[in-house]
Amino acid sequence: MTFRLTSFICLVALLIQANSGVSSPQPTGPNTSKQNSDKPKYWILFNAKDQGTQPALSEAALLRRRSQNLPLDDTDQPVSAHYVSRLQHEGIQSITQSRWLNAVSARLSADEYARVAALPFVAGIQAIDPAIIITSIGGQDQGISPHMAPVMTQIQAPDFMQAGLTGRFVNVGVIDAGFFGADSANALKHVFTRDGVKRVRDYVNDKKTRGDLFHTLETMSDFHGTEVLAAIAGNDPIEKTQYGLATDATFYLARTDQGNREYRGEEDNWVAAMEWMDSLGVRLINTSLGYAKGMSNPKENYQPSQMDGHTSLISRAAQIAADKKGILIVVSAGNEGDDRSWRIISTPADAQGVLAIGATNAKLWNRIGYSSIGPESLPYLKPNVSCFSLYGTSLSAPVITGFAACIMQANPKLTNKEVMAIIEKSSHLYPYGNNYVGYGVPQASRAIALLRNQPLPPTARSVKASGKSFSLPVSTDDTVVSVFHKKDATHILQQEAMKVNNGKLALRRSATEKQTTVDLKKEVIEVIWE
């Protein structure tokens, strides 16, 4: 999985520098900021917390909890200062503290591991796999480009614009790999001009300032967060192109991953960034980072079977955020769809409470090849929804984050789960979702109708068929439509592009096919084989 430096990203870098007057930085490579220690990193899980400690939350966060009737609990209390002190006495320096997981991260030698495991207040030790590969960065060539424009049409962006929905008054968190040049990119100038980025934090290098985050380029992955931010809120007056829906939202940015595609992810940074944003009262977070397979100690690497929503601690943290903190997390599903050794979604997209976003083709709205598939073992649907992205699910997720921000602006009293439900119900395949594209592409017109408690037009119906073939009459202006052949209600055997002849589709049933979804974009027909 080698990072490919594309000429397009080089062009983006030159344009940013030309617009901002920033001197050309020299990439230092992925190893410059690497910690000197070769000791592996672990989560040290505690069995209790200090009694009577106060929640580490801002007034805004407390207000948000009260408005959503979410009680404070022990996950809001900091980890035990006494336990941290005991570890220091043992020569163990904690790196990150997680109140949600009641844990600290630290690097441990084999002897230190044994000593820590024997401490009476330690409930367990779990490896932070040193070989987790960031799978949702890259995958395809990237860039803030006019190719993002078609997705705005696909999700009916003009309907939100006409309704005056631009994400105004909504706080959005972005957890990513870097935000180089964000303050000088044409597509984001309107955000910085109005002071729309309130707080930034670098968990890779905590000595960096706000200016360093935007103006220091360590690796080419430091463009990634800039591209994601543009897909949420981008609007380029020079190109006359809108890239994202939430052009008036307020942003909190966190850099948690360093380096290119070969860099091994830092889970504890991700959890720390989530808890920081929660403490500030952020309700909506985009994370276009996913963690999948590794290459070091096989006992500690993720396996496809572990994408179950609870094995990884970051999925557990994401579920805590959804269930106990009222946060809507929008996550890229992953770019492993073409990788026969993996194919399925990465973590934390496997958590039930997050909104996992896949990617579709532009014309047929079926799964684009690289987009990761939902595991058949999950009792719930993943991905949840999808939309067009030529450059990976990294850039489809922020489009839907902007979609969510518009819904939250329209009704700030909605809970995270209610917003998620509106997004799913507004999607063009609903209720006939599948593990390739979820419920399909969200439609702004349908979301607005749901917000207004208006009935949706009847765009979904089912028909029964028998035998091995069936001629289905269809009404569509398209000559080619997308068909999903399924082994059951949600799991795909094969997706197919089929030609409409004389207003009919000639469907052929495979031996194990139980249902077939015919996607006409404006209508979805579920064929149930008897």
Side-chain angles (χ1 to χ4, degrees), residues 487-506:
K487 65 174 66 177
D488 53 35
T490 58
H491 298 120
I492 299 293
L493 292 166
Q494 177 191 5
Q495 68 176 24
E496 180 182 9
M498 293 191 65
K499 189 174 183 179
V500 179
N501 290 312
N502 299 319
K504 293 184 179 180
L505 274 180

Side-chain angles (χ1 to χ4, degrees), residues 109-178:
S109 66
D111 289 342
E112 290 169 335
Y113 184 104
R115 292 206 319 271
V116 170
L119 293 172
F121 57 85
V122 172
I125 302 177
Q126 183 166 326
I128 299 177
D129 184 6
I132 298 170
I133 296 173
I134 300 174
T135 60
S136 294
I137 294 180
Q140 306 288 324
D141 293 344
Q142 302 170 12
I144 301 173
S145 84
H147 288 294
M148 282 300 293
V151 74
M152 292 292 100
T153 301
Q154 187 190 48
I155 62 176
Q156 300 178 335
D159 289 66
F160 276 148
M161 294 171 64
Q162 292 171 10
L165 298 177
T166 57
R168 198 170 192 180
F169 307 121
V170 177
N171 294 330
V172 180
V174 182
I175 300 175
D176 218 280

Side-chain angles (χ1 to χ4, degrees), residues 79 289 362 496 503:
V79 298
L289 302 174
E496 180 182 9

Side-chain angles (χ1 to χ4, degrees), residues 260-323:
N260 56 30
R261 285 190 73 195
E262 294 177 345
Y263 177 70
R264 276 54 175 171
E266 300 287 357
E267 285 187 6
D268 53 342
N269 290 345
W270 190 91
V271 174
M274 287 286 298
E275 296 189 13
W276 172 63
M277 290 179 179
D278 170 55
S279 73
L280 298 174
V282 176
R283 293 187 55 205
L284 174 60
I285 296 177
N286 182 96
T287 177
S288 285
L289 302 174
Y291 303 96
K293 58 184 177 179
M295 299 181 294
S296 61
N297 185 347
K299 294 181 180 180
E300 297 174 359
N301 291 348
Y302 286 132
Q303 300 297 323
S305 61
Q306 294 177 308
M307 300 296 100
D308 55 12
H310 57 79
T311 292
S312 82
L313 285 181
I314 53 174
S315 282
R316 286 161 59 182
Q319 195 63 45
I320 289 172
D323 291 342

Side-chain angles (χ1 to χ4, degrees), residues 17 93 117 136 143 155 174 178 195-196 202 205 219 256 292-293 297 335 362 366 374 426 482 504 509:
Q17 292 163 17
Q93 185 65 43
S136 294
I155 62 176
V174 182
D195 193 27
D202 190 338
N205 186 346
T219 76
T256 62
K293 58 184 177 179
N297 185 347
N335 299 336
N366 59 5
S426 75
S482 180
K504 293 184 179 180
R509 178 189 186 186

Side-chain angles (χ1 to χ4, degrees), residues 48 390 439 519:
L390 190 61
Y439 290 110
D519 177 8

